[in-house]
């Protein structure tokens, strides 16, 4: 994304560092992400848009798809593998080869709409995973829980008319991308929250809005759009969460997945730009996913 952009390779190095420091590394199994196929991408993106992304990939230097979304010669490959990670993760949990799977990937995906790259996102990784679960794995109810500090406008755009997907997004508002606060839908549960929202108010919102909606939807698979930029150390937003909130929230949602979805959870990394907070938050999220009693 350019030398000074916060969406940088250092994010994944920071996560790896904390996985080692926390010793979680020893209980995890790693997989290489395959590239998503055109067929998998075109379940959620317009074929003409997918072609545009392939055509736009530069031989050298950088091109801008939008002010926040640049491509260098390696971006297309990374984006294909980021989306493919969500597909593999869905397959792993559906085959019960993994209880839960976390996709440590970039570029992120939840701002990418059906026909538009946006906010650093080319392909909507979590949507590609959800569509794969429905098209190839016979899943009829998928919940996507998006706790990134930014509204998951792309996921909402893609699944606006798809009642098999329950989309839950909590986000700072007003804030980029300035959408989601007005949405009216029986399968989209948006929670716009003012800047400065702290842990207690955030947890209340999750408890009162998301958990009842998730419980009555009875998802057969749960996906997380896991952005950690609502952390109080993250300057990209002005929210007051810390890693214990991510642990708590993951645990609450996991209980619903355990009840209705045989515990099947796929989590896909979105934002999170304060490197140390990002690493610690991912560790807390994964500890909840593997059923650890404490963060
Ligand atoms: Zn974000």
């Amino acid at each position: 994304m350019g030398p000074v952009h916060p969406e940088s390779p250092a994010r994944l190095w920071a996560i790896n560092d904390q996985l080692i420091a926390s010793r979680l590394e020893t209980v995890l199994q790693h997989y290489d992400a395959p590239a998503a196929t055109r067929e998998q991408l075109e379940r959620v993106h317009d074929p003409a848009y997918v072609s545009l992304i392939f055509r736009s990939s530069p031989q050298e230097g950088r091109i801008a798809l939008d002010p926040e979304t640049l491509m260098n010669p390696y971006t297309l490959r990374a984006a294909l593998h980021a989306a493919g990670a969500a597909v593999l993760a869905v397959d792993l949990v559906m085959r019960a080869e993994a209880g839960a799977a976390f996709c440590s990937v970039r570029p992120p995906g939840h701002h990418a709409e059906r026909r538009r790259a946006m906010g650093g996102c080319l392909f909507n990784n979590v949507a590609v995973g959800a569509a794969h679960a429905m098209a190839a794995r016979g899943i009829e109810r998928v919940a996507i829980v998006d706790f990134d500090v930014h509204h998951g406008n792309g996921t909402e755009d893609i699944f606006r008319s798809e009642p098999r997907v329950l989309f839950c997004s909590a986000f700072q508002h007003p804030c980029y991308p300035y959408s989601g606060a007005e949405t009216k839908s029986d399968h989209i549960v948006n929670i716009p929250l003012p800047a400065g929202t702290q842990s207690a108010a955030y947890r209340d919102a999750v408890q009162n809005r998301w958990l009842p909606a998730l419980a009555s939807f009875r998802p057969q698979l749960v996906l997380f759009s896991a952005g950690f930029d609502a952390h109080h150390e993250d300057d990209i937003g002005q929210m007051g969460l810390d890693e214990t909130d991510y642990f708590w929230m993951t645990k609450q949602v996991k209980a619903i997945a355990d009840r209705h979805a045989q515990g099947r959870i796929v989590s896909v990394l979105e934002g999170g730009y304060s490197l140390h907070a990002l690493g610690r938050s991912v560790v807390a999220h994964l500890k909840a996913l593997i059923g650890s009693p404490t963060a």
Side-chain angles (χ1 to χ4, degrees):
M1 294 296 292
V4 296
H5 201 283
E7 206 298 276
S8 82
R11 298 177 60 230
L12 300 189
W13 306 336
I15 291 172
N16 287 343
D17 284 351
Q18 287 297 319
L19 292 181
I20 293 165
S22 67
R23 301 178 194 234
L24 252 186
E25 182 66 23
T26 56
V27 299
L28 300 177
Q29 213 169 338
H30 288 268
Y31 296 82
D32 284 327
T37 64
R38 293 269 317 214
E39 183 193 356
Q40 290 162 354
L41 297 172
E42 289 176 8
R43 290 175 182 142
V44 303
H45 293 292
D46 192 278
Y49 169 76
V50 177
S51 297
L52 170 75
I53 297 297
F54 274 81
R55 270 204 318 276
S56 303
S57 183
Q59 293 294 324
E60 56 184 45
R62 274 191 290 269
I63 62 110
L65 297 167
D66 98 328
E68 297 287 332
T69 317
L70 308 187
M71 285 183 91
N72 69 26
Y74 308 99
T75 305
L76 174 61
R77 185 157 178 260
L80 290 171
H81 285 266
V87 171
L88 173 62
V90 165
D91 284 340
L92 287 170
V93 301
M94 290 306 300
R95 293 196 298 250
E97 288 175 35
F102 177 68
C103 303
S104 194
V105 293
R106 47 182 299 278
H110 74 152
H111 294 309
E113 299 184 347
R114 196 168 278 277
R115 295 179 187 83
R116 180 158 70 142
M118 211 177 132
C121 304
L122 283 83
F123 301 127
N124 194 313
N125 308 320
V126 82
V128 169
H132 179 71
M134 294 187 287
R137 294 280 163 191
I139 288 289
E140 288 169 348
R141 293 185 308 281
V142 188
I144 302 176
V145 176
D146 184 333
F147 56 76
D148 191 278
V149 80
H150 304 104
H151 174 232
N153 63 290
T155 313
E156 179 168 319
D157 173 66
I158 288 166
F159 292 129
R160 184 169 287 131
S161 309
E162 177 50 270
R164 291 179 297 171
V165 176
L166 175 69
F167 180 54
C168 299
S169 182
F171 49 92
Q172 182 176 320
H173 181 78
C175 184
Y176 184 87
Y178 303 98
S179 53
E182 309 294 330
T183 302
K184 299 264 181 294
S185 164
D186 56 1
H187 65 101
I188 299 173
V189 185
N190 283 344
I191 312 178
L193 295 163
T197 298
Q198 302 296 309
S199 155
Y202 195 100
R203 290 189 189 200
D204 277 352
V206 168
Q207 188 101 51
N208 298 329
R209 302 283 315 282
W210 279 359
L211 300 183
L214 286 162
S216 66
F217 185 69
R218 295 180 296 112
Q220 297 164 305
L221 173 69
V222 174
L223 306 183
F224 279 111
S225 254
F228 299 92
D229 39 10
H231 196 286
H232 68 91
E233 289 174 30
D234 202 312
D235 297 334
I236 213 143
Q238 288 79 43
M239 303 286 263
L241 302 193
D242 67 22
E243 43 275 40
T244 63
D245 296 308
Y246 294 118
F247 179 81
W248 176 85
M249 178 163 33
T250 307
K251 239 170 122 69
Q252 305 304 311
V253 175
K254 182 183 184 315
I256 290 166
D258 286 345
R259 203 171 316 135
H260 300 290
Q262 298 168 45
R264 294 184 290 234
I265 298 180
V266 167
S267 178
V268 184
L269 181 66
E270 301 286 357
Y273 304 99
S274 164
L275 296 179
H276 203 260
L278 170 64
R280 292 182 340 254
S281 299
V282 168
V283 165
H285 179 55
L286 296 194
K287 282 188 171 174
L289 286 181
I290 64 172
S292 162
T294 54

